[in-house]
Amino acid sequence: MAKNLVIVESPAKAKTIEKFLGKDFTVKSSFGHVMDLSKKNLGVDIENGFIPNYEISSDKKKVVSELKKLSKDAETVWLASDEDREGEAISWHLVNALKLDESKTKRIVFHEITKTAILNAIENPRGINKKLVDAQQARRVLDRLVGFELSPLLWKKVKPALSAGRVQSVAVRLIVEREEEIKNFKVTSSYKVTAKFEIDSKKGKTKLVAELPKKFKTKEEAIKFLEQCIAAEFTIAKIEKKPGKKSPAPPFTTSTLQQEASRKLGFSVGNTMRVAQQLYESGKITYMRTDSLNLSNLALGMAKEQITELYGEKYVKTRKFTTKIKGAQEAHEAIRPTYMNNKTAGKDASQKKLYELIWKRTIASQMSEAQLEKTVVTIDISTTKEKLVAKGEVIKFDGFLKVYLESTDDENGEDQKNVLPPLNKGEKLQLDEMIADERFTKFPPRYNEASLVKKMEELGIGRPSTYAPTISTIQKREYVIKEDRFGKNRNYDVIILKNEKITEKVKSEKTGFEKAKLFPTDIGALVNKFLLQYFDNIMDYNFTASVEKEFDEIADGQKKWNEMIKEFYGPFHSKIENTLETAKKFSGEKLLGKDPKTGLNIFVKIGRFGPMVQMGDAESEDKPRFAGLKKTQSIETVTLEEALELFKFPRNIGEFEGKEITVAIGRFGPYVKHNNLFFSLQKTDDPLSVIRERAIEIIEEKRQKDKENTIREFDKDPTVKVLKGRFGAYIKIKTKNFKIPKGTDPEKLSLEDCLKISEDPKNAPKKGFKRKKK
DNA sequence: CAGTGAGCGAGCTTCCGCTTGACTT
C-alpha cells in the first residue's frame, strides 16, 4: 500500500504525475467537483444565513468511495486540485466527502505539469485557504439563486421549461441586440476610385494600382472626378519608405483556440473541445481548458531548440506573455504541444489539423518578429488637387510568418498589400484605366459560436470550461439558432474611364450570405425583453465583473461571503415576488389584422408550445382558434396572409378504411392523422396541397416499419407489445416502456411474462427523481 | 437513432463550474 495519496482533478494529469513521483505515491483523480448543492428545492437555507446544502454528486459516488478507501490506508493525502477558486473548493469538498483527518492532509498547488514544479509543490504544502473557498461558495450560491428563482418565473410568465442565468441570459442578450443593430442599420453607398497604371520596366510591362483616399457620396461627383482625369497628367510626387514590423500572437487559450479553429478549420466550438480532449488524453497537448498565456520554462526551452533546429538561431525570440483578460485565474499553462519536436500528432484528420494549429501557434509565439518595408507612393493629378495613393509592402525578414499568421474576423479584408514595381520620383505615369465602383456600408457582423465566446471572454462572463456548454444550452433552449442564410443579389454601379472615354455599367454581387451564424428566435427575443424589463441589473454586461470584484474581496478577507449574498438576495428576491404578482403573462402578442371572412382579429404570440397564431379575442364568447407557426416562420416577419393559411388546418383530405384522414401542423412539424394515429410528413410534402393518395402512401410506409419493429403482439391484450428499439428489444405497455432482463429471449415472451417483468421495479422506466414537496 | 402530437388539467422544467464516461427508450 502506497504511503501517499495524491488527488488531482483530471485522470490524464494523474497518469503523468504518477510517473514523476516515486512508487511511494499513488495519484488519483476526483474528476472535478465531487459535491454540489442539492438539486431539490434551492439547495440553500435562505432563512439561516444562506447555509448551502451540499450533496455528493450522483455521478461521483463511486469515485468518492474509492478515494475514501485509498485515503484511509494512506499516511498522507495530498490535495492537488487546481490553484484557483474552484480548485480550492474541490479540495475542501474532498476533505468533507472523504472525512479526511486534518493532521494527515496537505494542500499543494502547481501551475505546470513538470517534474520540478511538482517536486517543488511537495516541498511546500499548505492548508486549505478557507477564504478562497468562501469566494467559491458565494459564486456557487449566487448562480443557484439567480438561476433557480428566475427560471420558474419564466415558466409562469412566459413558457415552461425555459431557463435564465447569470451567463446564458447575457449571451442571448448579445445576440438579440446584434440582430436589432442589423435590423436598424441603414445601408448607404459611396464611390471608390481605383486607378491602374502601366509601368515600363526592364522586366517588361507591370501594373501599378493606386487608390483615391477620398470616397464620393454620389454617382455625379464620381463621374465629375473621372471626367477631370480624362486629359490629366499623372506624376509621382512622393515615395516614402518606412520600416515596419509584425509580432506573433501569444500561444492559445481555450477561447483563442476556439476562434482560430473556427476561422481556419471551420470547427464548431464543441468540436474543437472534443478533439482537443482527445489530444490531451493521448498526451499530445497540455490541458485545453485554460485562460493562461504562460509557457513553462521547459516548454520555452523545447521551443527554442526546435526553432533553432528547423529555421536557425536568428528565428528565435523567447517571449513571456501576460494575460489582459479580467478575471483570468491562470491555474494552467497555455495550450501547447507536450513535446515540441512532434510537428504532427493525432489519430485522425481532425486531431492532426488541430494539433498542427497548436504546434504552429506555440512555435510562432517564440519566434522573432517579421521585418517589413512599407512604401507609400503619392501621385499628383494635373487637373485637380486630389492625389492618388499606392501602398506596398515587402517582407525583408519573415521571422514567425514562416510558420503561422493569425487570421481575423474581419469579413471584408480591405487592405491588399502588393509588391510595388520600381518607381522614381517625378516619373510620369501612363493611365490604363480608372474605375469608380459603388461600395455599400456593411452592417455589424452576426456572431458565430467562436466570436460569441470571444465577446463573452471580453466581458468576463463564463469560464474556459463553460464556453462550449453555454453555447449549446442557449441553442437547446431555442433562444438562438445556428444557421446559414443565402444571400441576395445586389446591383452596383461601375464607372470606367478607359481610352479617354467614360462608360457606365451595372454589375451584380452577392450580399448577406451567412454561414453558421447565430440568430435569435422569437422566444429568445421575448425572454430577453422580459428579463431586461424586470431584471436589468442581472442583464447588465457589467454584472459579472462587479460580482467578481466582490468575490475577490471575500477571497481577501475583506467581506463575509454570506453577507455579500444577503445584500444581493434581499432586493433580488423582492423583485421576483413583485414581478410574480404584478407582471402579466408575457406573450409578445401582436395584432396582425382581421380575417376577411369573419372579421375576427388575428394575433401572433408565444404560447405554451411556442410561436402561434390566434383567431378571435380571448375574452370573446366563442373560444379563439389556435394554430402553431411553421418552423421556418417567425413572429417578427409572419404576414396576415401566411397566418390565415395556418388556419386551413386540420385539412380533411378524404377517407381511408372508413376513417377520415386529416393533415395538420403540430409541435414536431406537419403530420397526417388517421384513426387517432399520427404520421409525419416528409420535408418534401407540402401540408397545404398533400392529397389522399400520398397520405395513404405515408400511412402504409409507417405501418410496414412498425411491423418490422414488432417482435411480439398479443391478441388478448393489444396494449402490450415487444418492440425492437435502438438499444435492443423492450416491452411497451400503453405508453410506458420496460427493460427486458438480461438472458431473456424477447421472441419467446408470453403476455404473462411481459406483465410480470413490468411489475418488477428494476425494469421500470427511469424518469429521474421525484421531487419531494415539504 | 426514431418517435413524439396540445391549447389546461397533473408534474415537470432550471443555474454555473469542475471533470469524463455513462449506457439509455
Side-chain angles (χ1 to χ4, degrees):
Chain A
M1 196 46 60
K3 284 190 206 151
N4 297 282
L5 173 66
V6 182
I7 304 175
V8 295
E9 291 182 36
S10 138
K13 206 174 177 177
K15 228 168 66 187
T16 315
I17 293 173
E18 197 149 51
K19 277 187 236 153
F20 295 146
L21 298 166
K23 62 177 180 332
D24 285 344
F25 287 81
T26 304
V27 188
K28 290 284 172 189
S29 141
S30 75
F31 296 83
H33 275 292
V34 293
M35 294 186 106
D36 191 17
L37 297 176
S38 162
K39 271 197 161 61
K40 299 167 204 156
N41 306 320
L42 265 185
V44 181
D45 188 346
I46 305 289
E47 270 95 60
N48 297 304
F50 301 94
I51 298 170
N53 176 18
Y54 292 114
E55 283 176 353
I56 294 173
S57 311
S58 58
D59 56 336
K60 298 293 163 55
K61 296 229 161 96
K62 230 173 119 183
V63 184
V64 167
S65 68
E66 196 197 325
L67 290 176
K68 204 170 180 176
K69 209 184 287 165
L70 289 168
S71 67
K72 275 213 182 89
D73 299 333
E75 274 171 32
T76 308
V77 179
W78 305 80
L79 300 174
S81 50
D82 296 346
E83 187 182 28
D84 58 16
R85 211 161 56 204
E86 298 298 328
E88 205 65 22
I90 288 174
S91 281
W92 181 65
H93 286 312
L94 281 170
V95 170
N96 295 326
L98 309 180
K99 301 198 168 53
L100 293 178
D101 191 340
E102 214 177 298
S103 61
K104 68 173 207 180
T105 306
K106 286 176 174 156
R107 168 82 171 117
I108 52 168
V109 292
F110 37 83
H111 298 260
E112 45 187 62
I113 315 297
T114 55
K115 192 168 179 173
T116 37
I118 287 152
L119 293 179
N120 187 41
I122 296 275
E123 292 299 313
N124 296 289
R126 58 170 173 85
I128 284 178
N129 179 347
K130 193 64 200 325
K131 288 181 208 151
L132 196 52
V133 172
D134 283 349
Q136 192 273 347
Q137 299 203 85
R139 200 280 304 155
R140 180 66 190 94
V141 168
L142 178 92
D143 282 337
R144 170 54 69 86
L145 293 175
V146 169
F148 274 38
E149 296 217 346
L150 276 184
S151 300
L153 186 66
L154 290 178
W155 306 342
K156 290 198 183 90
K157 298 297 178 186
V158 186
K159 186 177 167 311
L162 296 176
S163 66
R166 173 176 60 82
V167 171
Q168 59 168 287
S169 297
V170 179
V172 173
R173 179 181 177 187
L174 284 166
I175 292 163
V176 172
E177 286 187 346
R178 178 55 54 89
E179 200 63 32
E180 279 164 6
E181 272 176 65
I182 293 169
K183 209 176 79 191
N184 298 327
F185 187 82
K186 299 261 181 299
V187 179
T188 59
S189 73
S190 59
Y191 289 79
K192 182 169 182 157
V193 176
T194 314
K196 279 184 198 151
F197 297 99
E198 291 223 320
I199 311 285
D200 286 315
S201 72
K202 280 172 205 158
K203 285 184 192 165
K205 284 191 174 180
T206 51
K207 285 240 161 89
L208 172 68
V209 179
E211 287 174 354
L212 189 71
K214 177 179 159 184
K215 284 181 184 168
F216 296 108
K217 281 199 181 116
T218 65
K219 193 171 165 185
E220 288 66 41
E221 286 174 81
I223 292 175
K224 207 176 132 200
F225 177 80
L226 259 56
E227 281 170 346
Q228 277 183 319
C229 291
I230 293 178
E233 202 168 60
F234 301 90
T235 318
I236 292 183
K238 219 169 23 177
I239 300 175
E240 284 174 290
K241 287 194 176 175
K242 263 191 265 174
K245 62 179 181 183
K246 206 176 253 161
S247 302
F252 280 132
T253 60
T254 304
S255 145
T256 52
L257 177 69
Q258 289 171 350
Q259 289 159 42
E260 275 290 85
S262 164
R263 290 184 290 234
K264 287 201 156 117
L265 310 176
F267 283 8
S268 73
V269 162
N271 193 28
T272 300
M273 293 314 283
R274 197 162 40 248
V275 177
Q277 176 91 30
Q278 292 162 358
L279 288 169
Y280 169 66
E281 281 173 12
S282 53
K284 306 294 187 224
I285 61 168
T286 56
Y287 198 57
M288 64 281 149
R289 291 184 277 262
T290 175
D291 51 18
S292 171
L293 299 177
N294 189 51
L295 295 175
S296 68
N297 287 327
L298 182 75
L300 294 176
M302 284 195 288
K304 186 176 177 178
E305 198 178 294
Q306 231 352 252
I307 297 162
T308 313
E309 192 187 313
L310 289 172
Y311 312 111
E313 225 167 280
K314 63 175 181 173
Y315 279 89
V316 173
K317 181 168 180 179
T318 300
R319 289 188 184 78
K320 289 218 171 206
F321 295 88
T322 44
T323 184
K324 291 184 198 92
I325 298 297
K326 49 183 170 182
Q329 313 229 346
E330 304 198 84
H332 306 273
E333 278 189 76
I335 304 169
R336 63 161 174 95
T338 327
Y339 304 104
M340 305 281 186
N341 51 355
N342 291 339
K343 211 171 168 177
T344 56
K347 282 179 192 130
D348 56 35
S350 292
Q351 288 185 27
K352 284 194 174 99
K353 276 194 269 183
L354 194 69
Y355 179 86
E356 201 183 329
L357 195 66
I358 295 168
W359 184 86
K360 285 181 173 173
R361 174 90 165 209
T362 314
I363 289 289
S365 80
Q366 298 307 316
M367 290 175 72
S368 37
E369 287 114 10
Q371 303 294 336
L372 312 168
E373 186 182 80
K374 291 180 177 173
T375 309
V376 178
V377 178
T378 313
I379 302 162
D380 275 349
I381 308 170
S382 61
T383 53
T384 160
K385 273 190 209 151
E386 306 289 344
K387 293 176 195 320
L388 295 162
V389 173
K391 284 181 183 169
E393 191 177 287
V394 182
I395 296 172
K396 292 283 181 185
F397 173 66
D398 54 359
F400 78 96
L401 290 176
K402 207 175 192 79
V403 177
Y404 176 91
L405 179 62
E406 186 180 36
S407 42
T408 59
D409 283 322
D410 191 6
E411 288 178 354
N412 27 311
E414 269 198 26
D415 271 357
Q416 66 233 90
K417 282 162 192 142
N418 27 18
V419 179
L420 298 179
L423 298 164
N424 299 304
K425 192 179 166 184
E427 191 178 332
K428 301 258 183 285
L429 297 172
Q430 194 62 45
L431 183 70
D432 175 31
E433 63 174 0
M434 191 180 277
I435 297 168
D437 51 6
E438 190 179 11
R439 300 277 177 93
F440 298 89
T441 48
K442 204 155 167 19
F443 56 78
R446 288 195 175 85
Y447 289 106
N448 60 26
E449 292 188 349
S451 64
L452 183 64
V453 168
K454 184 181 177 186
K455 185 72 196 177
M456 286 167 63
E457 187 183 44
E458 278 169 25
L459 294 171
I461 60 169
R463 303 275 315 128
S465 66
T466 60
Y467 294 138
T470 301
I471 280 178
S472 130
T473 298
I474 62 176
Q475 292 179 65
K476 232 183 349 210
R477 299 268 175 279
E478 293 182 326
Y479 290 151
V480 159
I481 184 165
K482 179 168 83 174
E483 59 185 16
D484 303 340
R485 293 267 163 104
F486 295 103
K488 276 188 272 185
N489 281 322
R490 172 167 69 189
N491 289 337
Y492 67 99
D493 290 330
V494 184
I495 309 147
I496 304 156
L497 164 61
K498 195 169 173 126
N499 301 328
E500 303 192 345
K501 255 184 234 143
I502 291 178
T503 48
E504 285 182 39
K505 260 201 256 177
V506 177
K507 282 191 177 173
S508 177
E509 65 181 348
K510 259 248 156 62
T511 176
F513 178 77
E514 299 278 26
K515 180 104 187 118
K517 292 291 172 61
L518 299 173
F519 295 84
T521 62
D522 286 331
I523 293 168
L526 189 67
V527 167
N528 185 61
K529 197 175 160 197
F530 177 86
L531 292 174
L532 272 178
Q533 187 171 323
Y534 295 103
F535 297 92
D536 56 339
N537 60 329
I538 306 252
M539 297 298 280
D540 193 313
Y541 290 126
N542 290 317
F543 178 68
T544 291
S546 78
V547 291
E548 278 290 342
K549 224 168 133 193
E550 294 191 76
F551 298 153
D552 286 346
E553 285 166 19
I554 293 165
D556 287 347
Q558 299 166 35
K559 216 169 199 169
K560 288 266 179 293
W561 82 267
N562 39 5
E563 275 165 25
M564 181 237 153
I565 293 293
K566 193 176 157 191
E567 277 164 34
F568 165 78
Y569 186 74
F572 172 72
H573 186 70
S574 45
K575 255 189 198 174
I576 294 268
E577 299 268 290
N578 195 28
T579 312
L580 209 50
E581 266 176 47
T582 58
K584 284 199 208 114
K585 188 116 186 165
F586 215 77
S587 70
E589 184 175 280
K590 201 168 87 177
L591 182 67
L592 267 190
K594 280 185 196 308
D595 178 23
K597 275 186 211 150
T598 59
L600 290 169
N601 282 331
I602 306 284
F603 301 97
V604 269
K605 63 184 200 182
I606 303 270
R608 171 91 165 69
F609 298 98
M612 62 175 197
V613 284
Q614 177 183 326
M615 185 189 286
D617 296 85
E619 308 83 42
S620 74
E621 266 178 53
D622 297 316
K623 275 203 169 171
R625 288 182 62 201
F626 300 99
L629 246 51
K630 285 195 245 179
K631 280 244 159 95
T632 50
Q633 295 172 325
S634 90
I635 286 195
E636 188 77 29
T637 57
V638 74
T639 62
L640 182 61
E641 288 68 36
E642 287 166 340
L644 292 169
E645 295 263 282
L646 296 167
F647 286 109
K648 292 183 179 159
F649 301 109
R651 280 172 64 224
N652 190 329
I653 56 168
E655 272 193 6
F656 177 52
E657 297 171 342
K659 301 261 163 82
E660 69 175 18
I661 311 175
T662 54
V663 179
I665 298 174
R667 184 138 116 81
F668 307 105
Y671 64 89
V672 171
K673 192 175 173 186
H674 174 254
N675 195 16
N676 266 325
L677 291 171
F678 296 86
F679 308 89
S680 284
L681 284 182
Q682 299 281 314
K683 274 204 182 118
T684 45
D685 294 316
D686 174 21
L688 270 173
S689 61
V690 73
I691 52 166
R692 179 176 173 269
E693 282 63 34
R694 171 67 186 142
I696 291 171
E697 214 176 280
I698 291 168
I699 293 169
E700 301 277 19
E701 262 173 42
K702 171 82 186 334
R703 284 182 179 172
Q704 183 59 34
K705 235 185 194 168
D706 281 349
K707 211 166 148 192
E708 284 166 14
N709 286 332
T710 306
I711 302 172
R712 299 276 288 149
E713 276 180 297
F714 309 100
D715 294 337
K716 257 206 270 177
D717 188 352
T719 65
V720 180
K721 278 176 184 163
V722 181
L723 300 174
K724 213 188 294 171
R726 54 187 158 135
F727 311 116
Y730 66 100
I731 300 169
K732 190 180 189 78
I733 302 180
K734 283 174 192 162
T735 57
K736 286 212 165 96
N737 302 315
F738 300 90
K739 252 196 300 208
I740 296 173
K742 272 180 194 151
T744 314
D745 186 353
E747 307 269 354
K748 290 182 184 140
L749 284 171
S750 68
L751 179 59
E752 288 69 31
D753 292 336
C754 289
L755 292 174
K756 211 167 132 193
I757 287 170
S758 77
E759 276 155 22
D760 189 338
K762 266 208 318 261
N763 304 317
K766 277 190 187 161
K767 270 273 157 71
F769 300 106
K770 279 212 178 109
R771 181 190 280 194
K772 272 181 210 145
K773 286 257 159 155
K774 39 179 172 174

